[in-house]
Amino acid sequence: MDTGTERRNLRKPERHAQILLELRLAPHVRVSDLAASFEVTTETVRRDIAELSAQGLLQKSYGGASPRAPGAQSVLDQRQREHVDERRQMAQLALTRVTDGQTLMIDAGATMMEFARALAMSGKAVTVLTNSLQVAMILGSSDAVRVIMTPGDYLNAEAALTGTATCDFLRGYNVDACFLGASALDETGVTEAIAGFAEVKRTMLAQSRTGHFLIDGSKFGKRHLTQVIALDEMGCLITDIAPTEALDAALDCHRTPIILPN
């Protein structure tokens, strides 16, 4: 089958479908890459993206397009376009901690969406409980993943569920591991800027045999309003760069495992 010829002969509706399909597995697609792949002009691809954006099916961004999940607001859309390489690195590192047959909890956020993409593409057979609409949608693209959504109060800006009902539901399950994001990490522990997220993270940690926080280096040394967990309770840190000297000393004092690239 000459798939290259097929892609060159795509009509507009087929190009639109292909763009949306690629955005299910990537946080950003570039106009230049799509034009080369379809063998059409960049102006044609820009028109395609403009039409899809007008329909609310994606978010136009500089040089290309990003996914627009139902209910997600511009704050989360913006975060998805920041530190993309770092998120991908951490997602691949986290993937090495997952084996077939495991049960997992994954919370909401841009980093967790990247981890969900890596997990969906890996073909690993797992069961995942999540409070994130985007994570559920991404993992739902894989036939190997069973997805269980929590109930709760819907937080529109993050397309996530939080609150008492969410935490009570999670307490009904015991899982092998949880994978969590966070707003900041310093010597006092993990902190969160988004209302309602800290309680969900603490509950997921309590119900998991092992915990993993995916936190990139841009969040080191910062502190937000709500304390999530102290360093000695956070489990494993998965990150893209070595922590600063003071933070590294604090993590070492509490014997917190750190997983870095290479």
Side-chain angles (χ1 to χ4, degrees):
M1 179 182 295
D2 187 352
T3 55
T5 301
E6 288 179 359
R7 286 177 73 93
R8 286 195 296 271
N9 294 331
L10 291 179
R11 294 171 295 177
K12 182 167 73 171
E14 295 167 331
R15 290 197 308 273
H16 287 191
Q18 186 64 36
I19 292 170
L20 293 174
L21 177 62
E22 294 193 17
L23 280 174
R24 292 183 68 182
L25 299 174
H28 184 261
V29 293
R30 295 177 58 84
V31 167
S32 56
D33 293 340
L34 292 171
S37 177
F38 298 152
E39 292 200 0
V40 297
T41 65
T42 55
E43 288 75 13
T44 296
V45 174
R46 288 193 183 96
R47 286 195 295 270
D48 289 339
I49 289 175
E51 290 181 26
L52 291 168
S53 176
Q55 298 172 46
L57 298 175
L58 54 73
Q59 173 70 38
K60 286 195 296 183
S61 58
Y62 181 77
S66 300
R68 176 173 288 281
Q73 297 295 313
S74 59
V75 173
L76 182 56
D77 290 338
Q78 179 62 36
R79 293 210 313 272
Q80 289 182 65
R81 296 191 290 274
E82 297 171 348
H83 307 292
V84 174
D85 290 340
E86 292 88 342
R87 295 184 200 281
R88 287 176 177 170
Q89 266 193 326
M90 292 188 296
Q92 291 301 320
L93 289 173
L95 192 60
T96 66
R97 312 287 288 185
V98 179
T99 58
D100 277 328
Q102 282 192 317
T103 52
L104 312 174
M105 290 184 182
I106 301 175
D107 77 331
T111 300
M112 293 301 98
M113 291 173 65
E114 196 62 54
F115 174 53
R117 291 186 184 97
L119 186 56
M121 294 179 69
S122 74
K124 293 185 179 184
V126 293
T127 297
V128 175
L129 286 90
T130 185
N131 67 320
S132 166
L133 179 60
Q134 300 102 319
V135 167
M137 291 175 64
I138 293 166
L139 292 176
S141 67
S142 170
D143 293 335
V145 182
R146 179 191 177 201
V147 180
I148 302 173
M149 279 289 300
T150 71
D153 300 323
Y154 185 63
L155 184 59
N156 188 50
E158 298 294 325
L161 295 149
T162 64
T164 302
T166 304
C167 295
D168 286 348
F169 182 85
L170 291 169
R171 291 188 187 101
Y173 293 86
N174 297 298
V175 298
D176 296 308
C178 66
F179 293 86
L180 312 171
S183 298
L185 174 67
D186 70 358
E187 297 92 312
T188 68
V190 179
T191 54
E192 183 55 61
I194 300 170
F197 273 19
E199 293 83 355
V200 173
K201 295 177 195 296
R202 284 195 292 267
T203 304
M204 287 186 170
L205 281 166
Q207 301 306 124
S208 303
R209 187 172 300 149
T210 59
H212 308 77
F213 274 94
L214 281 67
I215 304 175
D216 69 79
S218 70
K219 300 174 181 178
F220 291 167
K222 298 180 180 179
R223 188 183 305 177
H224 289 288
L225 178 64
T226 308
Q227 188 79 15
V228 178
I229 209 83
L231 291 183
D232 60 341
E233 301 173 288
M234 70 179 290
C236 175
L237 171 64
I238 298 174
T239 186
D240 61 313
I241 61 172
T244 57
E245 185 176 350
L247 179 57
D248 186 55
L251 290 165
D252 184 60
C253 179
H254 294 292
R255 298 184 180 180
T256 302
I258 304 173
I259 299 177
L260 290 158
N262 302 321

